[in-house]
């Protein structure tokens, strides 16, 4: 999959239509993801594919501020009832689904053809270009956790379920098989698919790709599992906390970098074999995490997941293979043939994956540019340390309240320089809407109300 393209040559579109018709495709879905993490779509007959790519289909700017309660729109001075934009699909990233459907990721453009600053795919594309200009090539690998529920969002039986148990695969073997088959048919590279710790919870790990392509692949995989689940009378919950008091779901991101074709996380003289630039990249992510929390895990439900002892990375620290650290370093070697990489554990499914990748990679680049020193490694569960030990090591918990996380994001000149003022303002707006309208609900009520909010 390629980065955002603003124009699609007409002959290419016509040739692609002919080939897709020969493959049985009749309908095309184009998607965008908004600041609240909601996946929106427009659908056209295949013969309209060229128009969908250029000049694009009209959409109101309020798409950027739809809220997760299925009704809310956060109007403001910058976004209101006035104006129109164009959603253009990227034909180079088009994939065939099944049953006559094809899909392509979309991006927002203004009426004059310029890229819309609110567009998350455009933001990530610009961060990817900044990295490239600095001589840095980056790949991102997404992990996605989700919970299978009934069509009304209700809990499914779990009499045979065990953490990572074979029974989970066999109980849903048709679903597992069909997801893998559908993914393969659509060009999605699944690296592993297994039952997780939570009841009726699964995790899929996707192959690493360039940042925009990796985020596209994640969106496509969500579509695939949603479609397959429906065939079995099920739904997929992408909530950070589908059921209060139970295990939450993460959407971790791994990334690796090379500078001038040399890896920065291995082959060096630093900790774990990192180069000086690799250490600075990790330091940059750590330094910016508190301000980026509103982007990575800022929903009304995210705080219920982000707790010590939940392997969610609640503590701002890093460690080699430390699953309680917010940033986990994985060394290269025979057991990790893709090489050393960094995992950011705090990201959850309520985040816009394009914005999340842009924030993480932008922070890493900032660390490299400023040559930030790497803090000491945390080699134990941070919760096992005393308060004084954590203070001496500089280990802090991420914000426990949504309001505090949003205040830090809103005031962050660093995140605004990475993402732009418009994306930060939009994320803060839709998340503050959640806080203002639903903060008085109990954890059980929140989980029940928003269990399917991010589902597709």
């Amino acid at each position: 999959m390629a980065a955002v393209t603003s124009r699609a040559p007409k002959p290419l579109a016509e040739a692609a239509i002919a080939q897709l018709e020969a493959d049985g495709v009749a309908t095309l879905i184009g998607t965008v993801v908004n600041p609240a993490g909601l996946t929106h779509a427009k659908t056209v007959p295949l013969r309209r594919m060229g128009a969908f790519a250029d000049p694009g289909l009209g959409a109101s700017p309020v798409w950027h501020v739809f809220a997760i309660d299925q009704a809310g729109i956060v109007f403001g001075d910058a976004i209101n009832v006035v104006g129109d934009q164009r959603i253009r699909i990227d034909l180079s990233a088009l994939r065939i689904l099944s049953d006559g459907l094809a899909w392509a990721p979309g991006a927002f453009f203004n009426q004059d053809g310029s890229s819309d600053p609110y567009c998350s795919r455009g933001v990530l594309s610009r961060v990817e270009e900044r990295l490239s200009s600095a001589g840095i090539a980056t790949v991102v690998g997404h992990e996605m956790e989700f919970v299978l529920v009934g069509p009304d969002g209700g809990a499914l039986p779990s009499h045979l379920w065990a953490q990572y148990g074979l029974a989970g695969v066999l109980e849903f073997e048709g679903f597992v098989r069909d997801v893998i088959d559908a993914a393969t048919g659509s060009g999605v590279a699944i690296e592993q698919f297994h039952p997780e710790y939570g009841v009726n919870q699964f995790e899929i790990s996707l192959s690493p790709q360039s940042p925009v392509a990796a985020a596209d692949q994640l969106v496509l995989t969500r579509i695939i599992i949603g479609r397959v689940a429906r065939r079995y009378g099920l739904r997929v919950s992408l909530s950070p906390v589908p059921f209060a008091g139970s295990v939450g779901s993460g959407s971790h991101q791994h990334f690796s970098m090379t500078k001038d074709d040399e890896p920065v996380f291995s082959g060096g003289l630093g900790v774990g074999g990192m180069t000086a630039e690799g250490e600075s990249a990790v330091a940059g992510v750590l330094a910016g995490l508190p301000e980026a929390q509103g982007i990575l895990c800022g929903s009304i439900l995210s705080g219920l997941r982000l707790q010590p002892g939940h392997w969610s990375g609640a503590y701002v620290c890093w460690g080699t293979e430390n699953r309680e650290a917010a940033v986990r370093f994985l060394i290269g070697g025979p057991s990790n043939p893709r090489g050393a990489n960094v995992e950011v554990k705090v990201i959850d499914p309520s985040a816009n994956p394009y914005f999340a990748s842009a924030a993480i990679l932008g922070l890493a680049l900032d660390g490299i540019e400023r040559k930030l020193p790497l803090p000491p490694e945390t080699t134990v569960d941070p919760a096992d340390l005393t308060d004084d030990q954590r203070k001496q090591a500089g280990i802090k918990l991420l914000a426990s309240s949504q309001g505090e996380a949003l205040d830090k994001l809103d005031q962050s000149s660093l995140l605004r320089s990475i993402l732009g003022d418009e994306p930060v303002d939009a994320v803060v707006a839709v998340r503050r809407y959640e806080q203002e309208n639903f903060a008085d609900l109990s954890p059980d009520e929140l989980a029940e109300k928003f269990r399917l909010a991010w589902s597709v």
Side-chain angles (χ1 to χ4, degrees):
M1 298 184 185
V4 175
T5 55
S6 61
R7 293 286 172 182
K10 292 295 194 299
L12 175 62
E14 292 169 2
I17 288 172
Q19 180 59 57
L20 289 168
E21 286 178 335
D23 291 332
V25 175
T27 306
L28 175 61
I29 300 171
T31 61
V32 291
V33 185
N34 91 336
L38 302 174
T39 303
H40 299 307
K42 280 184 176 283
T43 306
V44 297
L46 185 61
R47 59 179 174 78
R48 290 274 296 158
M49 184 178 76
F52 203 169
D54 180 18
L57 305 183
S60 168
V62 300
W63 280 43
H64 300 302
V65 287
F66 284 128
I68 63 172
D69 62 351
Q70 300 178 333
I73 302 175
V74 189
F75 291 110
D77 293 338
I79 297 180
N80 51 55
V81 297
V82 178
D84 196 34
Q85 296 180 320
R86 287 292 178 268
I87 298 173
R88 295 178 182 168
I89 55 170
D90 183 349
L91 291 182
S92 68
L94 185 146
R95 295 291 183 268
I96 296 175
L97 296 171
S98 62
D99 305 313
L101 290 177
W103 164 89
F108 281 96
F109 291 84
N110 294 315
Q111 293 283 38
D112 63 4
S114 61
S115 181
D116 172 31
Y118 289 94
C119 176
S120 61
R121 194 169 188 263
V123 167
L124 180 54
S125 180
R126 289 189 288 276
V127 169
E128 190 172 342
E129 290 168 0
R130 282 187 56 205
L131 288 161
S132 180
S133 296
I136 299 172
T138 306
V139 294
V140 175
H142 290 267
E143 296 177 358
M144 56 180 301
E145 296 174 347
F146 59 90
V147 173
L148 290 177
V149 296
D152 62 350
L156 298 174
S158 58
H159 307 299
L160 295 177
W161 192 269
Q163 301 95 322
Y164 309 100
L166 173 61
V169 175
L170 299 182
E171 191 77 3
F172 299 102
E173 64 175 280
F175 169 78
V176 171
R177 181 189 63 245
D178 288 355
V179 165
I180 292 175
D181 287 348
T184 301
S186 296
V188 172
I190 291 178
E191 296 211 326
Q192 60 174 319
F193 186 170
H194 61 265
E196 253 288 347
Y197 192 88
V199 171
N200 297 321
Q201 183 184 48
F202 286 90
E203 179 181 292
I204 292 176
S205 297
L206 300 173
S207 65
Q209 300 191 41
S210 61
V212 172
D216 290 342
Q217 181 175 239
L218 176 65
V219 173
L220 175 55
T221 306
R222 289 176 175 176
I223 295 170
I224 289 170
I225 63 173
R227 295 186 73 225
V228 173
R230 282 172 169 80
R231 295 178 196 149
Y232 287 88
L234 306 170
R235 295 295 183 271
V236 171
S237 173
L238 293 172
S239 168
V241 182
F243 297 93
S246 66
V247 176
S249 292
S251 190
H252 314 149
Q253 293 190 19
H254 293 248
F255 72 95
S256 61
M257 294 176 159
T258 58
K259 177 70 181 294
D260 300 326
D261 297 323
E262 295 294 330
V264 304
F265 295 130
S266 61
L269 301 177
V271 182
M274 283 189 271
T275 66
E277 288 178 322
E279 289 188 341
S280 291
V282 175
V285 173
L286 280 173
L289 268 185
E291 296 171 35
Q293 182 179 348
I295 297 289
L296 308 178
C297 50
S299 76
I300 190 70
L301 277 165
S302 296
L304 299 179
R305 169 184 171 267
L306 200 64
Q307 302 290 331
H310 286 59
W311 291 11
S312 59
Y315 286 100
V316 182
C317 60
W318 80 277
T320 303
E321 300 294 359
N322 190 336
R323 286 179 168 81
E324 276 293 323
V327 178
R328 174 181 171 223
F329 180 63
L330 293 85
I331 61 173
S335 297
N336 194 8
R338 291 191 182 276
N341 65 84
V342 175
E343 178 188 23
V344 181
K345 296 188 65 64
V346 299
I347 305 169
D348 69 40
S350 70
N352 178 309
Y354 299 95
F355 281 154
S357 290
I360 293 301
L361 299 179
L363 291 174
L365 179 59
D366 176 71
I368 292 172
E369 291 175 338
R370 293 198 286 147
K371 299 182 179 180
L372 293 182
L374 182 66
E377 179 179 5
T378 301
T379 59
V380 298
D381 184 341
D384 292 339
L385 301 175
T386 65
D387 289 343
D388 285 342
Q389 288 173 323
R390 285 194 291 269
K391 184 176 181 179
Q392 291 176 6
I395 300 172
K396 298 180 180 179
L397 278 171
L398 285 166
S400 58
S401 75
Q402 186 185 32
E404 182 182 350
L406 294 178
D407 286 344
K408 290 180 179 179
L409 172 62
D410 195 17
Q411 298 162 13
S412 174
S413 59
L414 177 56
L415 268 296
R416 289 181 178 276
S417 71
I418 293 170
L419 304 178
D421 286 327
E422 293 89 350
V424 171
D425 289 342
V427 171
V428 170
V430 294
R431 296 308 189 200
R432 280 192 170 147
Y433 173 93
E434 298 168 15
Q435 183 187 17
E436 291 166 0
N437 288 278
F438 309 112
D440 59 338
L441 298 183
S442 69
D444 283 320
E445 290 171 328
L446 285 171
E448 176 73 22
K449 183 174 184 63
F450 297 116
R451 188 169 300 136
L452 299 176
W454 295 277
S455 300
V456 298

